[in-house]
Amino acid sequence: MSKRIDVEHLNVYYGDFLAVEDVNINIDSRSVTAFIGPSGCGKSTFLRTLNRMHEVIPGAYAKGKVMLDGEDLYGKGVDPVTVRSMVGMVFQRPNPFPTMSIRDNVLAGVKLNNKKISRSAADELVESSLKGANLWNEVKDRLDKPGSGLSGGQQQRLCIARTMAVKPDVVLMDEPCSALDPISTIAIEDLIHELKEQFTVVIVTHNMQQAQRVADKTAFFNIEGTGKPGKLVEFDETATIFQNPKQKATEDYVSGRFG
Amino acid sequence: MSTNLSDQEQKQAGEKPASALADAASAGGRAGDKIFSGLSLGAGIVIFLTLAAVAIFLTWQASPVIEIPADEVSGGNGFLSYVYPLILGTLMAAIIALLIATPVGILVALYISHYAPAKVAKPVGYVIDLLAAIPSVVYGAWGITVLSPALAPFYNWLANNLGFIPLFQGPASATGRTMMTAGIVLSIMILPIITSMSREIFVQTPKLHEEASLALGATRLEMIRQAVLPFARTGIVSAIMLALGRALGETMAVALVLSTGGLQWSLIRSGNNTIAAEIALNYPEAFGDRLAELIAAGLMLFVITLIVNFIARAIIARYKEFSGAN
């Protein structure tokens, strides 16, 4: 399953502070979309509104519409818990549960909400998810060992497997490679290419080469100054953003003349 | 002579840059390091020596017990039959206290760390910590004058309705000064230990793991079960052990509340006694063999505490690989 995302007039607040102003964006299903921009421009904040994770921070809220195949995630009576099981998330630093084995980590999301799963179905899901995350061959002999014993790159792929096991419609990635070495980064990027066959992928990255390597479309966010809200400046095909941007600010940023 | 001196000075001056690196390292930093490691080693040794001194004192003072003829020991049937009801009484009181204080303590800690708004969490935390500051004799007095009479009707009800369970066999104590009351008073006394230690650990749960759980679609309760409690497991065990230590050794509150007597399986009848209370009640008038008896009972308490701690260590070690510390 894969769904498209349409955002209309979204404003994100931390208490009284407007962090991201008036975002309108249409993200196709089965595509990879990259968010780029300077630090503090609100791209991570905006990403977290797509699965309502920003609400975890006290005082944070969003106004506007985020439509997942036409269904508003911020509509009345929508439970953020349901939203998050449909829109999965991979974080900046790998965060497998240290108290669980590799196998239990993959099943962590599946076992939520009192869902029962048979032993054989669980085995199959663990295998398919780990294969999907290109991790199966490395861990198949030590599934009952703690996930924290893996390398950083393996841990991040374990987190991706854990997210895939829930079978979400969308996978959000918040700088998934920023804590990884180049080899592990390549492994994750290869994986992102495969992920888009099943999921809608949205990735925040500071690495512009990475955006060019993995993304079909790229959105550039910018901030005019401290205390001002972040804005979506330009959203287009990745090639257009990097070679022929319409906005001066985008061109300055992608050519390194920023700041 | 003077040229020699100046030569030497020159030599020293010339050498200085080369040796400055070595000097700086050995002078300031290393001396501090050595002093500090010496101090911490000393502190460790002091604890070890204290423990050894207590153990040696107890064993030495208690040793005459072996030689006392069985019929001259209190109760008239030898030391073991004198001490085992006390051991059972001690364990009963401590277990009742833990059964009540552990779930309540953990729930309160979770409320403070993950549910209460900051405005409420702080005062609740202070109040709980204040409980630890109340002297145990005050708890004892409160137990006698308020709690016991208040519980007496409830014990009657238990005896009438659940009397078929040996633990609630009637007739219930009319004063309410029973093992159950003692256990409840103890549970209130150890509540702050469990609550404050658990809270400290709960708030240290890495944000990363809490968010990982929430992002998978966990409710707040599921997040707590998935990320917070497993992370805190070792700490919770430590907190329970500290609390158990206090419950096992608590003297005044039990001595005041409990209407002591022989071994009694019913928790709502008067009877039973704990080692600590037995020692406190009888020590002032004891001498000779009786003194050795009491100290031997104290040695038993010491041994029980050690065993409990070893069990706790073993439990923690079992989960070591999955503790999150690696």
Side-chain angles (χ1 to χ4, degrees), chain B residues 123-162:
Chain B
V124 173
Y126 284 138
V127 170
I128 297 284
D129 287 346
L130 265 183
L131 282 181
I134 300 175
S136 58
V137 69
V138 174
Y139 277 108
W142 174 77
I144 294 187
T145 53
V146 180
L147 192 64
S148 302
L151 285 173
F154 171 65
Y155 292 152
N156 246 327
W157 181 90
L158 275 180
N160 290 334
N161 294 283
L162 294 169

Side-chain angles (χ1 to χ4, degrees), chain A residues 14 48 53-61, chain B residues 207 211:
Chain A
Y14 290 117
R48 289 166 70 98
M53 273 300 285
H54 70 295
E55 290 169 27
V56 170
I57 297 160
Y61 65 99
Chain B
K207 266 260 152 338
E211 292 195 340

Side-chain angles (χ1 to χ4, degrees), chain A residues 40-52:
Chain A
C41 69
K43 57 195 187 304
S44 282
T45 300
F46 174 65
L47 186 80
R48 289 166 70 98
T49 62
L50 299 182
N51 69 343
R52 297 186 65 169

Side-chain angles (χ1 to χ4, degrees), chain B residues 139-156 173-182 184-185 253 256-259:
Chain B
Y139 277 108
W142 174 77
I144 294 187
T145 53
V146 180
L147 192 64
S148 302
L151 285 173
F154 171 65
Y155 292 152
N156 246 327
S173 157
T175 57
R177 291 173 58 188
T178 65
M179 198 45 137
M180 192 68 141
T181 312
I184 294 173
V185 172
L256 284 175
V257 168
L258 194 59
S259 168

